[in-house]
Amino acid sequence: MQAKHPQESRTTLTDLVLPSETNPLNNLFGGELLARMDRAASIAARRHSRRIVVTASVNHVAFNKAVPLGSVVTVEAAVSRAFKSSMEIFIDVWVEDRESGNRTKANEAIYTFVAVDETGSPVRVPPLEPETELEKQRYDAALRRKQLSLVLAGKMKPQDATELKALFEDSK
């Protein structure tokens, strides 16, 4: 299976925050943002795998900045690492200033998707070859996150989590 680059999966969704999507403080509902991120991530995963994909987990979400009513919101998603049948998708959320047009990073998230066949059974996905420094950082960190998740779920022994152990050994 031929490797792909993160750029091939890059997905950008841009939309406006409407009154029906806001809370009493006139900021975008967190659940609405989660749904937008899930849609962008699923498109990125499908572009990488060219298969049916399902959300396996939402590994990390940071609501760092409120997204006000009337804002232009851009959700950018790309595969950060591909494993056997799963893919980690890193998502950046940007808010555009109404006056200047400048974009500010408001939020980020990391989702995991699994590629499946028509019966719902997992299928192999192409490997990923990062190109930029940021892609390489996210690629390396994805393995540590996966190992941590497996250790916490009891599916990997801590002593077998070589990437996690390396973090602590390097700091000595």
Side-chain angles (χ1 to χ4, degrees):
M1 202 174 277
Q2 187 173 355
K4 292 186 172 183
H5 300 106
Q7 186 59 35
E8 295 175 72
S9 68
R10 187 156 316 281
T11 301
T12 304
L13 299 178
T14 302
D15 203 357
L16 190 64
V17 177
L18 301 173
S20 64
E21 302 165 330
T22 62
N23 62 25
L25 296 174
N26 285 322
N27 293 318
L28 182 65
F29 278 120
E32 174 64 30
L33 183 57
L34 288 169
R36 291 179 189 199
M37 291 188 291
D38 193 52
R39 282 192 292 276
S42 69
I43 293 168
R46 178 124 189 179
R47 285 178 171 167
H48 180 80
S49 66
R50 291 294 165 203
R51 302 298 294 237
I52 299 167
V53 295
V54 294
T55 309
S57 66
V58 176
N59 307 340
H60 168 76
V61 178
F63 294 106
N64 296 320
K65 184 177 179 195
V67 181
L69 172 66
S71 295
V72 173
V73 180
T74 300
V75 178
E76 295 176 346
V79 175
S80 49
R81 186 148 187 166
F83 296 96
K84 185 175 154 189
S85 61
S86 66
M87 296 154 282
E88 182 190 89
I89 317 299
F90 204 100
I91 304 157
D92 295 303
V93 178
W94 303 89
V95 176
E96 188 175 309
D97 182 80
R98 294 180 204 142
E99 305 282 322
S100 68
N102 292 334
R103 290 182 354 148
T104 304
K105 186 170 177 180
N107 304 296
E108 65 182 23
I110 301 169
Y111 283 42
T112 299
F113 278 76
V114 174
V116 297
D117 63 17
E118 291 72 21
T119 66
S121 298
V123 295
R124 288 187 96 48
V125 299
L128 187 81
E129 285 183 5
E131 297 178 295
T132 69
E133 274 310 306
L134 180 59
E135 289 170 353
K136 289 174 185 175
Q137 290 170 6
R138 288 178 174 180
Y139 179 89
D140 290 342
L143 182 55
R144 293 189 293 271
R145 283 189 288 273
K146 180 170 182 151
Q147 286 185 353
L148 178 59
S149 178
L150 290 171
V151 168
L152 292 174
K155 296 178 181 178
M156 176 183 264
K157 294 179 181 173
Q159 59 268 28
D160 295 335
T162 55
E163 293 298 311
L164 287 176
K165 284 176 31 179
L167 281 176
F168 297 103
E169 291 168 356
D170 289 344
S171 64
K172 290 180 181 178

